[in-house]
């Protein structure tokens, strides 16, 4: 399967702990996006990368959240000092941006975080 | 700010019948994309259909078609000949720069 993969699929943690999620995009996709989806809601944009550069961050991305894409391939999303309100599905998507026009985003299966 | 509203939290359709899911959005831009995504239970989100705002012609993908009313900022999805596999959450989304999603409509298909 050459789609977007995310690891882990599920994570249960205690409040105050740090967690890190990984996303592997479709090979050769230069853009990678992170979204958060809470129960009963649509995904909310968090941030995106073009290659290794983080080009945009939502104000939803508090300073407890940090995302990296060091080599322009996989990305990690870290949440420090988790809070119960961080419980959500964290979705990753990737796309191939060629400089103009439309680029379809392909979504991964998500990482479901539960903060106790 | 761009917002996307899906006013139908749940919809139900009989197998082989037609159902229409509603979506409205708010924007001051003239050039953007609109999407419908399908999210089956415990499975990843997949693109159903997209519409470029500059195109007047409504997009169609097999049994899925849209009714795009740009002036009214309305973007509804019609599913014809509904199948059991169509049961899922459906999200309407707007994209100018980042992607904005509606809250979703849960579609149930009755055999």
């Amino acid at each position: 399967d050459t789609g977007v993969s995310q690891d882990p699929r599920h994570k249960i943690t205690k409040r105050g702990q740090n967690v890190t999620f990984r996303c592997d995009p479709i090979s050769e996709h230069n853009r990678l996006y992170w979204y958060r989806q809470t129960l009963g809601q649509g995904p909310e944009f968090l941030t995106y990368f073009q290659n290794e550069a983080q080009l945009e961050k939502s104000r939803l991305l508090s300073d407890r959240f940090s995302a990296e894409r060091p080599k322009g391939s996989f990305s990690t999303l870290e949440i420090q000092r988790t809070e119960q309100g961080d419980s959500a599905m964290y979705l990753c998507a990737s796309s191939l941006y060629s400089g103009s026009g439309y680029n379809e985003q392909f979504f991964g299966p998500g990482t479901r975080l539960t903060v106790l | 700010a761009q917002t996307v509203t899906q006013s139908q939290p749940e919809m139900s359709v009989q197998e082989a019948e037609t159902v229409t899911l509603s979506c409205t959005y708010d924007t001051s831009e003239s050039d953007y994309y609109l999407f419908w995504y399908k999210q089956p239970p415990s499975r990843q989100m997949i693109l159903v259909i997209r519409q470029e705002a500059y195109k007047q012609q409504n997009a169609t993908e097999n049994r899925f078609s849209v009714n795009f009313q740009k002036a009214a900022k309305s973007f509804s999805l019609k599913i014809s000949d509904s199948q059991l596999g169509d049961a899922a959450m459906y999200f309407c989304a707007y994209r100018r720069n980042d992607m904005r999603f509606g809250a979703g409509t849960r579609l149930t298909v009755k055999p």
Side-chain angles (χ1 to χ4, degrees):
Chain A
D1 190 335
T2 56
V4 179
S5 61
Q6 293 187 245
D7 183 68
R9 295 290 305 276
H10 303 273
K11 178 70 177 179
I12 300 174
T13 191
K14 293 182 179 179
R15 189 175 52 186
Q17 297 295 303
N18 298 345
V19 294
T20 300
F21 310 139
R22 176 178 170 128
C23 171
D24 286 87
I26 293 172
S27 179
E28 297 176 356
H29 275 193
N30 53 3
R31 284 195 169 177
L32 186 148
Y33 308 79
W34 284 101
Y35 294 86
R36 182 175 69 188
Q37 185 178 18
T38 53
L39 204 60
Q41 297 297 317
E44 297 171 294
F45 170 77
L46 292 178
T47 188
Y48 88 94
F49 294 83
Q50 181 157 312
N51 299 313
E52 65 275 7
Q54 189 171 18
L55 296 188
E56 189 174 342
K57 291 194 294 186
S58 163
R59 53 191 164 84
L60 292 174
L61 209 68
S62 77
D63 52 9
R64 295 186 297 106
F65 288 68
S66 62
E68 295 183 343
R69 194 183 183 199
K71 298 181 180 179
S73 56
F74 73 91
S75 175
T76 58
L77 177 67
E78 180 183 18
I79 309 174
Q80 295 182 328
R81 305 181 303 282
T82 52
E83 302 173 356
Q84 287 185 328
D86 296 331
S87 295
M89 177 78 85
Y90 290 84
L91 296 172
C92 176
S94 71
S95 71
L96 179 61
Y97 179 69
S98 59
S100 65
Y102 171 71
N103 56 102
E104 181 178 344
Q105 293 186 22
F106 293 83
F107 283 82
T111 293
R112 182 170 295 285
L113 173 66
T114 302
V115 182
L116 302 177
Chain B
Q2 299 88 12
T3 59
V4 180
T5 303
Q6 293 180 249
S7 58
Q8 305 153 315
E10 296 183 356
M11 290 286 283
S12 178
V13 63
Q14 203 72 33
E15 193 176 6
E17 297 294 307
T18 295
V19 64
T20 298
L21 308 184
S22 301
C23 173
T24 58
Y25 58 96
D26 182 33
T27 185
S28 58
E29 304 289 345
S30 59
D31 189 19
Y32 48 86
Y33 292 97
L34 295 166
F35 307 88
W36 280 97
Y37 280 89
K38 172 184 177 181
Q39 189 176 42
S42 302
R43 296 185 63 184
Q44 57 213 78
M45 190 131 51
I46 58 174
L47 178 65
V48 174
I49 197 165
R50 81 168 192 268
Q51 174 81 42
E52 290 92 339
Y54 65 86
K55 289 187 178 179
Q56 292 186 336
Q57 187 172 7
N58 290 324
T60 298
E61 288 287 342
N62 301 314
R63 297 182 296 107
F64 299 88
S65 61
V66 299
N67 184 2
F68 174 47
Q69 302 290 327
K70 191 172 184 179
K73 298 178 184 175
S74 169
F75 183 61
S76 61
L77 174 70
K78 185 172 82 171
I79 306 174
S80 304
D81 185 25
S82 297
Q83 300 176 0
L84 295 178
D86 294 334
M89 282 292 290
Y90 285 83
F91 293 98
C92 176
Y94 164 103
R95 194 176 98 192
R96 164 74 176 169
N97 295 310
D98 58 347
M99 188 95 81
R100 304 291 176 110
F101 288 84
T105 296
R106 182 176 302 281
L107 178 66
T108 303
V109 181
K110 298 179 179 179

